[in-house]
Amino acid sequence: MPTLIIVGAQWGDEGKGKVVDHFAAHADVVARYQGGNNAGHTLVVGGERTVVHLIPAGVLHRGTTCILGNGVVIDPKVLCEEIEGLQEKGYLTDAGQLRIDERAHVILPVHCMLDRAREASLGERAIGTTGRGIGPCYEDKAARRGVRVVDMLDARYFRDALDKIMAERGPLLELYGEQPPEIDAILEEYAVYAERLRPYVTDTTILVSEQIAAGKRILFEGAQAAMLDLDHGTYPFVTSSNTVAGVVGSGAGVAPKHVGRVLGIAKAYTTRVGAGPFPTELEDDIGAKLRQVGGEFGATTGRPRRCGWFDAVVVKQAARLSGLSGIALTKLDVLSGIPTLKIATAYDCNGERFDRVPASVSALTQATPIYEELEGWTEDLSGARRFEELPVAARKYISRIEELTGAPVTLISVGAERDETILLRDPFLL
Ligand code: GDP
Ligand code: IMO
Ligand code: MG
């Protein structure tokens, strides 16, 4: 079965984009199936850095079809800008390379305004969202008043739908002290996006099933990560979509029998952007060193990422929830020069031992990690291309992660460049 799902195994920014770009050379299709432009996936090829927020990270490979599935929420302004930016760099010159699902929901200005106004009103209790309107858009989808891509292409329907949304959302915006946007102005602006995007719009679920039937290689590119999943993450400090691998079914219209292999991406340490519990967070010199050496600043908002030790409780949970057949361990190079490394193997929550992530946010906030110490290494790893070229201490670190999470490490990333990669097993054959 030549399909592979790639998901984040921590709190996001694990390097999913890099890994998808690495494998996309051997994929016919790369499809996103949830989230929106809250994601930021960085690709580095030959020293050139490209950040994609919506378009799948396979886009740098001309022969790879990129799909935005029905489960994605699309800000058409951002998407148009992203298409233009890529075209200016010489990518995406063939319109047939990008396909946008007609059932994907559209992010409207009111969604971004509500997201930001709400966060501002929450003050210290804010979630730390990306402010991209993701939550309010998914809310309108669930409330059955959202606008889908196909609706945006139908001017009359769009006006009616927008009237309905603004009737509900306008007063709420006013409550936050914001002036609701003018419906006519939105219609005019979105009519331009609609015409620009029209050539790309189709029912992508048909395309995906045809490709599966033809035995083509399909990569499903997850955004965010297990601990940001709406159900399974550190609620309420999560995103508004499900992020576990099973969501490919609803978000791309693929039957369970067609998907099997799942690769989880995990950093060799842990980071988190935004608020919420983070048991292994380091607010000391080591945390600062990880941030500086790892360049841990958000690709979407530029915010500094919180940094901490590898948390095997989190990654084991992600492995269970998404059925990881393998782990791609990224940013191993960043750990060079730290004499002693720590891995959390369990938590102590007020005297109770947890070897899973507790559902209660207050328990998790009070969790004290139970650590295991491992010897570090000093060598620069960026030149390593084979497992045997890694220092013994680094190999032991990897083996311990495999034991603690129950998933084999099948790829090791030692730098941001596409080829700074040690591939241990073909992911499509895991
Ligand atoms: P994503 O959201 O999961 O795609 O990850 P991001 O792109 O937001 O963040 C990962 C960051 O780490 C990006 O700046 C990547 O270029 C960079 N990166 C990825 N893999 C490695 C690696 O193995 N080593 C180093 N030093 N940087 C990496
Ligand atoms: P990628 O795909 C890291 C976080 C936000 C915030 C919470 C809710 O690049 O890994 P939202 O805007 O989704 O309502 O914000 O989720 N968040 C991410 N953190 N990487 C991401 O995506 C994220 N997308 C959302 O920081 O804490
Ligand atoms: Mg990111």
Side-chain angles (χ1 to χ4, degrees):
M1 201 191 299
T3 57
L4 177 69
I5 306 172
I6 290 195
V7 289
Q10 294 158 324
W11 274 283
D13 303 325
E14 296 90 349
K16 296 176 291 292
K18 177 199 158 154
V19 175
V20 169
D21 168 67
H22 183 83
F23 290 143
H26 309 288
D28 299 290
V29 176
V30 181
R32 285 251 335 240
Y33 53 91
Q34 47 72 228
N37 61 309
N38 46 350
H41 301 168
T42 310
L43 323 173
V44 186
V45 184
E48 189 187 57
R49 187 169 173 271
T50 305
V51 181
V52 283
H53 297 285
L54 271 169
I55 295 179
V59 69
L60 306 190
H61 301 272
R62 283 180 179 75
T64 305
T65 303
C66 291
I67 290 178
L68 289 175
N70 58 280
V72 176
V73 286
I74 295 177
D75 185 325
K77 180 173 194 278
V78 173
L79 181 54
C80 287
E81 285 168 1
E82 201 161 296
I83 292 171
E84 272 165 33
L86 284 162
Q87 287 174 338
E88 275 166 22
K89 283 180 147 190
Y91 301 110
L92 212 59
T93 46
D94 169 12
Q97 198 193 345
L98 178 65
R99 307 275 84 189
I100 302 168
D101 197 84
E102 53 196 3
R103 291 183 176 84
H105 277 249
V106 171
I107 296 179
L108 299 165
V110 64
H111 295 140
C112 300
M113 290 176 75
L114 268 179
D115 191 0
R116 289 169 199 172
R118 244 186 222 160
E119 284 284 284
S121 77
L122 283 169
E124 295 244 299
R125 291 176 298 124
I127 290 169
T129 72
T130 60
R132 302 300 193 260
I134 306 298
C137 182
Y138 276 119
E139 288 165 24
D140 280 344
K141 174 178 179 177
R144 293 161 294 182
R145 58 169 174 254
V147 170
R148 300 166 305 161
V149 169
V150 69
D151 306 328
M152 180 178 71
L153 299 182
D154 176 344
R156 197 176 307 161
Y157 186 95
F158 190 15
R159 176 177 287 278
D160 282 353
L162 207 52
D163 278 341
K164 222 156 93 188
I165 290 180
M166 291 315 295
E168 296 246 10
R169 303 304 227 171
L172 188 57
L173 262 184
E174 280 167 2
L175 216 62
Y176 287 120
E178 300 281 337
Q179 184 66 29
E182 289 290 331
I183 290 183
D184 283 339
I186 301 171
L187 287 170
E188 202 178 311
E189 183 188 349
Y190 274 56
V192 178
Y193 306 140
E195 289 322 304
R196 276 200 223 152
L197 297 177
R198 193 184 288 277
Y200 302 103
V201 177
T202 188
D203 183 335
T204 64
T205 63
I206 295 176
L207 179 60
V208 169
S209 63
E210 283 171 355
Q211 296 278 316
I212 288 174
K216 302 284 184 173
R217 286 187 157 197
I218 305 184
L219 266 178
F220 293 102
E221 174 185 342
Q224 290 82 49
M227 287 301 116
L228 291 172
D229 182 282
L230 182 57
D231 282 82
H232 301 286
T234 48
Y235 193 91
F237 299 97
V238 293
T239 191
S240 294
S241 68
N242 286 108
T243 59
V244 293
V247 171
V248 154
S250 58
V254 186
K257 66 180 180 182
H258 293 308
V259 286
R261 296 173 196 88
V262 187
L263 183 67
I265 318 297
K267 262 180 209 175
Y269 47 99
T270 312
T271 63
R272 168 162 213 175
V273 216
F278 179 0
T280 64
E281 182 168 15
L282 290 166
E283 288 172 289
D284 60 5
D285 290 353
I286 299 179
K289 182 181 154 79
L290 291 173
R291 187 172 311 110
Q292 184 240 321
V293 179
E296 297 296 356
F297 296 88
T300 299
T301 57
R303 290 178 288 179
R305 295 176 182 145
R306 300 156 66 193
C307 298
W309 295 120
F310 187 88
D311 189 337
V313 184
V314 160
V315 179
K316 187 173 73 175
Q317 186 125 327
R320 174 167 58 78
L321 293 168
S322 285
L324 300 186
S325 15
I327 289 176
L329 193 68
T330 62
K331 305 193 94 159
L332 191 65
D333 53 301
V334 176
L335 294 183
S336 291
I338 300 176
T340 304
L341 302 170
K342 291 187 186 180
I343 296 179
T345 56
Y347 307 138
D348 180 327
C349 303
N350 297 322
E352 190 183 349
R353 186 188 160 95
F354 275 83
D355 48 21
R356 61 184 172 88
V357 180
S360 153
V361 74
S362 41
L364 191 58
T365 305
Q366 286 153 25
T368 307
I370 299 169
Y371 284 119
E372 191 173 292
E373 294 193 351
L374 285 93
E375 197 186 323
W377 58 88
T378 54
E379 293 88 336
D380 171 7
L381 305 189
S382 60
R385 294 294 174 272
R386 291 189 307 122
F387 187 71
E388 296 70 28
E389 289 166 18
L390 293 173
V392 173
R395 286 189 253 162
K396 281 192 182 156
Y397 186 74
I398 294 165
S399 301
R400 192 63 189 132
I401 285 177
E402 291 182 318
E403 285 166 8
L404 289 168
T405 61
V409 171
T410 56
L411 180 149
I412 301 156
S413 177
V414 291
E417 275 282 344
R418 183 187 280 168
D419 67 354
E420 286 177 327
T421 305
I422 301 171
L423 184 60
L424 303 175
R425 246 175 275 174
D426 181 335
F428 286 100
L429 303 175
L430 280 174

